[in-house]
Amino acid sequence: MASVHLLETLLYDPADGLFLLDYHCDRMIESAKELALFFSSDPETFLRDLIPTRSELTNKLEAAVNNAGKGQRQRLRLLLDFDGAITIQSSHLPSETNFGDGSIVVVLDTEATPKDNVFLQHKTTEREVYNQARTRAGLGPFTATVSPDTPFDVILYNEDKEVMETSVANIAVETENKETGKLEWITPPVSSGLLRGTMRRKLLESGEIREGVVTLNDLKKAVMDNRRIKCFNSVRKEYFVTVK
């Protein structure tokens, strides 16, 4: 395995600044603390002296935005290795596009993914578990280009037949509340094996979605009943998908 880096992918928009900046910084710092023992050559020194603060990460990100051009929408990749080195890569993004019509097609993985894989719980450059799922589904490496004729992503599920997430986003299913009869958005819990997404955190804290186990049968029933399914991450934000 190549050297593992912690990774955060952020959206910068000239009108709004760095989207969910504090959430991204918090997640990277927490992951650094949790994974130091496994990946740092000197965990004691790394934990004591080398984990950046939220302020340090923010300053470096803002400098990267300025260097690339504050008037441009940007996608930034923030990387931290386990020697404390920070790298930031920036690329320009086109104007925001509305993908709210469900034209993005996703497919179901063909086999289960073990939910105890540590790389599901932390965002890193080690993406083999996601790449394998994409390969099984007949998809190539991830690309931001969306085509109505080609599946965009794959939905992973665990050995208990619980929905987890997709290869690039968290997911929620419109579900009927058995007590009230009303529809609500349910997103799988972390215990099902998935990344604590920053957009997921925002939607949970706002009450727009809530956690609950989503089985494969739940997902299939939602599709049969024409209920909505959406994915979300901090760059693309929320978008409806069609499961095929």
Side-chain angles (χ1 to χ4, degrees), residues 150-163:
T150 305
F152 174 71
D153 206 353
V154 57
I155 300 172
L156 284 72
Y157 62 91
N158 64 30
E159 58 270 48
D160 298 321
K161 296 185 178 180
E162 297 170 351
V163 173

Side-chain angles (χ1 to χ4, degrees), residues 5 7-10 60-61 64-65 68 74-79 86-92 125:
H5 291 65
L7 169 66
E8 295 292 332
T9 306
L10 295 89
K60 288 184 177 293
L61 284 163
V65 166
Q74 300 174 37
R75 176 179 180 269
L76 296 106
R77 283 168 49 90
L78 170 65
L79 298 112
I86 298 170
T87 305
I88 300 176
Q89 302 163 347
S90 175
S91 57
H92 288 172
T125 52

